[in-house]
Structures are given as structure tokens and as C-alpha cells.
Amino acid sequence: MFFKKRGWKSFAVAGALTLALAACGSEDAGTDGSTVDEGAGDDGAAAETYNWQFVTEEVQGQVQYEYAAEFAELINEKSDGQINIDVFEFGQLGSEVDQVEQLQNGIVEFAIVSPGFTGGMVAEGQVFALQFLFPDDQEVTQEILNTSEALNTHLAGMYEAHNIKPLAFFTEGAMQWTGSSQLRTPADFENFKMRTQESPLIMESYRAYGADPSPLSWSELYTSLDRGVVDGQENPIFFIEDASFHEVQDHMTISNHNNYVAMTTVNPDFYNGLPEDIRALIDETVEEMQPRVFEMQAEMNDALLESIENDTANPTEVYELTEGEREAFRELALPVRDFFRDEVVGDEGRKMLELLEEEIAAHQ
């Protein structure tokens, strides 16, 4: 497998590189993270270097971090070492909310953001919490994320109004359920304490199944599952295995009820202040990473499902819902779209959802 855990040395090297580059330049750094090496160039002209920060909601070996690390490497190579990006895993710079605020304030330049954590700020971003909205085919879903006007123009503009500029949307894989008891029918969710993100729509989705939704940061989730504070959770397979949630859950349901969608984002003031050629380099690299991150998540999810199934030390019963079983959940999930239209968003959000539904229908 291509992914691997990265040790503390990678951070030490990156930090040392950043310090060394900064030391070569003037003491004054630009708002775009640039410094000037006044001795560079055969003609004696000053050469700028850029030192940026990229924060993620996951840790080394998981999709977001590995995406950001590869993005940083590509940018560095394409710029002939002119641009250096330090990548931070979740927790190094605070919580999910802290990281979003750092991006908005320009403390970090780039971030991978899950719309579920920003639903209180951009209510329309909760559209990704609507279960059974996107096609079951992952490749078709990613194509919609790449090309959707509803998302890449309308929703992106709503985030930019809050000083967050989405550059791309990508799936980290289909969402699956784990539980302390089996989850095969809506009846299994009755009074089931389901961990959710801090999203009114996600919570409403699980109330529709009869569950008791419990918002919780993922940093607290393993311990909460282990102690029975919550009964279950949803995540892509790679995350379930890598975070060892399967060790404290007896059951996993391959439900494919949704996709975990993340956004590659940038601080718009920083981005708009960059030279045109640097912005073009960023845009080009973001586009190149779209098929790459799809490959990453597919390989991770396939390989780590096998790991869960073969873990005899921590046996987890894994089963896949039949189409009939999925249909029972789909029927309960559809009315939640009305909740989104009527209770969560206004006219712009309703129009965005309508356009997105049309785009999805055109792909099916």
C-alpha cells in the first residue's frame, strides 16, 4: 500500500527547512507568506520564497493528511523549491473549530475542512449530510463533486463570504456504521446513542431513524465508544480502522448511506493577494490532486476493510445491507430533505439543492 505513517522526523525536517529559508531572506515577511533572498539569482535580483501552513482534520496515514503532504510535495517540486508548505495533522493546532478560525484569520493559509463542522456558520454546507443523496457509484459521485455548479459556484461563494475559499470538493469514501449492537433496520436505531458532528441536519437524519444523536469531537470518540457514552458512529472504513474504532465496537454495517465529503480550502485574502502565476500553480495542483485523492481513498478503504475482517484479536462482525434493507433507510431519509429546505436554509440554499438534485439526476 502506498500510504504510511510518518514519524516526528518529517516535522523536524520540515520545520528546519522553513526556518532555514526564512533566515535566508529579509526580516520582513509578506502577507502572502513570502520572504526575500536578496543574494539569489545570477543577475543579483531578489528571489521570493513562500512558507505556508496547511492544516488537516486527520492524522498521518489518513486521507486528508496524505493528500496535504502530497499536495505540498507537488507545489514544492513545481516551484523549484520556491514554495514550502508545512502540513499539520489534527490536534497540533487545536480542534476542528480552532483550525477553521485560524484559516479565516489568515494564521494558516490552507486547510481541509469538513462541511459538517461548519454547518452552524454556512448552513448550506450541511447538504452533504443528506443521506442517500449522491449516487452509490463512487466515481460518479466524485465527478459530480468536480463539476457541480451548485457546489463549486453557489456553495463555494457562501463559504467565501465567511473568508473561506473552497478550491475543491472530494469524497473520502462511503460512510459506514459501527455499533455496540447490530444496525440493519431502522428499529435497531431506537434509543441508540449515535455520535454525530455538530450539525443540526446530521442530528435530524438520525432522529428520523429513531436514534439519539450525540454531537462529539472525534478526539473524544474512541474513549466514549469504549465507555459506552455513545453506542456507535459513522465514518469511512479507512478512518474506522486507523482510529481503531473497530476495537471497541462489535458490529460494522456496510451501509453506504452517504459520502464523507471534504473541502480543500484557502484563505481568500491570502490567495487573492498572490501573484497570478502562483495562483495558477495552486489551481493546477488542486486539479491534479482530484484523481489522486480518489485513488488514495479507494485503496485505503479496500485494504483496511480486509484488515478489520482479518483482525482476530478484535473480532468485529461485518455485514453489508441488502438493497431492501437500504431502501427502508432511504424512505426515512428522504423527508429530511424537506427539513433542510424548510428549517435549515433560505431561498439560496433551496435553489442550490434543487440545482444539485438536477445535476445528480443528469449523471444517473
Side-chain angles (χ1 to χ4, degrees), residues 134-186:
F134 286 92
D136 293 341
D137 188 315
Q138 290 281 297
E139 291 188 14
V140 175
T141 290
Q142 185 59 61
E143 177 64 19
I144 293 168
L145 296 177
N146 290 344
T147 61
S148 167
E149 179 185 345
L151 302 177
N152 293 285
T153 300
H154 297 286
L155 181 59
M158 296 171 191
Y159 273 98
E160 195 157 357
H162 291 271
N163 227 33
I164 298 170
K165 181 178 178 65
L167 297 175
F169 299 88
F170 61 87
T171 177
E172 294 188 54
M175 300 281 271
Q176 319 299 350
W177 293 317
T178 68
S180 55
S181 56
Q182 73 167 3
L183 298 168
R184 301 196 73 154
T185 70

Side-chain angles (χ1 to χ4, degrees), residues 310-323:
N310 296 329
D311 187 353
T312 56
N314 300 284
T316 302
E317 184 182 359
V318 179
Y319 37 79
E320 183 170 359
L321 295 184
T322 66
E323 278 308 306

Side-chain angles (χ1 to χ4, degrees), residues 106-357:
I107 297 171
V108 301
E109 288 81 11
F110 295 89
I112 296 182
V113 175
S114 300
F117 291 120
T118 57
M121 176 174 59
V122 181
E124 293 81 1
Q126 295 177 71
V127 68
F128 297 111
L130 290 171
Q131 299 188 11
F132 300 98
L133 173 64
F134 286 92
D136 293 341
D137 188 315
Q138 290 281 297
E139 291 188 14
V140 175
T141 290
Q142 185 59 61
E143 177 64 19
I144 293 168
L145 296 177
N146 290 344
T147 61
S148 167
E149 179 185 345
L151 302 177
N152 293 285
T153 300
H154 297 286
L155 181 59
M158 296 171 191
Y159 273 98
E160 195 157 357
H162 291 271
N163 227 33
I164 298 170
K165 181 178 178 65
L167 297 175
F169 299 88
F170 61 87
T171 177
E172 294 188 54
M175 300 281 271
Q176 319 299 350
W177 293 317
T178 68
S180 55
S181 56
Q182 73 167 3
L183 298 168
R184 301 196 73 154
T185 70
D188 295 329
F189 275 98
E190 288 294 328
N191 301 315
F192 185 89
K193 291 176 290 186
M194 188 68 173
R195 177 266 176 179
T196 68
Q197 294 179 347
E198 190 72 53
S199 162
L201 194 65
I202 296 176
M203 290 187 279
E204 184 66 20
S205 295
Y206 284 102
R207 289 192 190 101
Y209 298 155
D212 178 13
S214 302
L216 195 67
S217 170
W218 87 255
S219 61
E220 305 172 55
L221 185 49
Y222 182 93
T223 301
S224 297
L225 290 170
D226 190 30
R227 296 177 178 175
V229 176
V230 291
D231 298 320
Q233 59 85 49
E234 62 173 2
N235 261 301
I237 293 167
F238 84 87
F239 197 91
I240 293 169
E241 197 279 344
D242 200 62
S244 301
F245 294 153
H246 67 291
E247 294 180 359
V248 290
Q249 297 272 265
D250 294 328
H251 304 267
M252 184 167 82
T253 305
I254 306 299
S255 52
N256 298 322
H257 60 278
N258 206 348
N259 285 268
Y260 194 101
V261 175
M263 306 184 294
T264 304
T265 68
V266 66
N267 176 280
D269 296 330
F270 154 78
Y271 177 84
N272 294 330
L274 290 170
E276 185 176 345
D277 60 331
I278 300 296
R279 289 200 308 272
L281 181 65
I282 291 170
D283 294 343
E284 175 187 279
T285 306
V286 168
E287 186 174 351
E288 286 181 19
M289 285 299 300
Q290 288 299 90
R292 179 66 184 129
V293 72
F294 187 83
E295 292 172 2
M296 282 184 183
Q297 65 81 22
E299 185 175 335
M300 287 188 190
N301 284 308
D302 288 347
L304 295 182
L305 175 58
E306 289 185 23
S307 180
I308 291 173
E309 291 174 328
N310 296 329
D311 187 353
T312 56
N314 300 284
T316 302
E317 184 182 359
V318 179
Y319 37 79
E320 183 170 359
L321 295 184
T322 66
E323 278 308 306
E325 289 171 329
R326 292 182 79 240
E327 188 59 33
F329 287 105
R330 191 194 308 272
E331 289 177 6
L332 293 173
L334 284 175
V336 180
R337 298 188 196 183
D338 293 330
F339 177 82
F340 177 84
R341 294 184 182 97
D342 300 336
E343 304 293 334
V344 176
V345 299
D347 288 340
E348 286 189 26
R350 286 191 285 271
K351 291 176 182 176
M352 182 203 70
L353 176 59
E354 181 179 343
L355 176 58
L356 179 58
E357 287 177 319

